[in-house]
Amino acid sequence: ACAGFLRFNYPPASVFLGDCGSLSLGFLLASLTMPTEIDLRQGLLLLGVPLFDFALVLLVRVPHYRRWYHPITMCARDHVFHRLRALGWSHRACLTALYGSGLMLGGAALWLPRLEPHRAGALTALVLGLALTLGIWLGQVDMKDAYDADRISR
């Protein structure tokens, strides 16, 4: 069902998920990572894209935290998608990169249990290294207009 939705959500989008759908889907994905046959590394890989976005935004906002002026929970355009757009990527290219990242991480999560322990550790280290490198690169993107309330409302 999610793959069918993604087809219609690709630009030009004709269907949007909304809050209820995204919360339900997030709950479903999070419940898949509960202690069952899936280990922690698989859960982190399955939720890799949203966790990466959350960690990047949090780590970038914390140094600029001001109690009322820039609260950490403030709505702003400083997420991964907006940082890629600030680098000049097209809307379609950003979505393709995020969809592709999710598919690759999901594939890695399915492949992980079939690997020998030292290869699974190497795959985990590779993914963490790539995430760290990408996070440092995206964290340096100038997002001076990200907290402008007038731009956010448009």
Side-chain angles (χ1 to χ4, degrees), residues 41-83:
R41 289 181 298 186
Q42 285 179 284
L44 293 175
L45 287 172
L46 282 174
L47 297 172
V49 174
L51 286 175
F52 176 77
D53 185 53
F54 168 74
L56 178 68
V57 169
L58 186 67
L59 292 173
V60 168
R61 287 183 187 181
V62 166
H64 304 291
Y65 173 70
R66 305 285 183 273
R67 188 171 181 97
W68 300 108
Y69 183 64
H70 284 297
I72 292 173
T73 58
M74 177 181 168
C75 175
R77 293 179 182 222
D78 61 346
H79 291 270
V80 172
F81 174 83
H82 301 293
R83 290 176 181 279

Side-chain angles (χ1 to χ4, degrees), residues 52-144:
F52 176 77
D53 185 53
F54 168 74
L56 178 68
V57 169
L58 186 67
L59 292 173
V60 168
R61 287 183 187 181
V62 166
H64 304 291
Y65 173 70
R66 305 285 183 273
R67 188 171 181 97
W68 300 108
Y69 183 64
H70 284 297
I72 292 173
T73 58
M74 177 181 168
C75 175
R77 293 179 182 222
D78 61 346
H79 291 270
V80 172
F81 174 83
H82 301 293
R83 290 176 181 279
L84 293 174
R85 293 284 290 157
L87 288 170
W89 290 34
S90 70
H91 191 90
R92 189 176 288 260
C94 293
L95 288 180
T96 302
L98 291 172
Y99 286 1
S101 299
L103 283 172
M104 285 190 295
L105 290 172
L110 291 174
W111 191 34
L112 197 66
R114 293 168 179 81
L115 294 175
E116 298 168 5
H118 68 280
R119 292 183 192 259
L123 176 64
T124 305
L126 175 67
V127 169
L128 288 175
L130 288 172
L132 182 63
T133 304
L134 185 62
I136 291 170
W137 178 59
L138 287 175
Q140 295 174 353
V141 175
D142 182 24
M143 300 299 293
K144 63 182 174 216

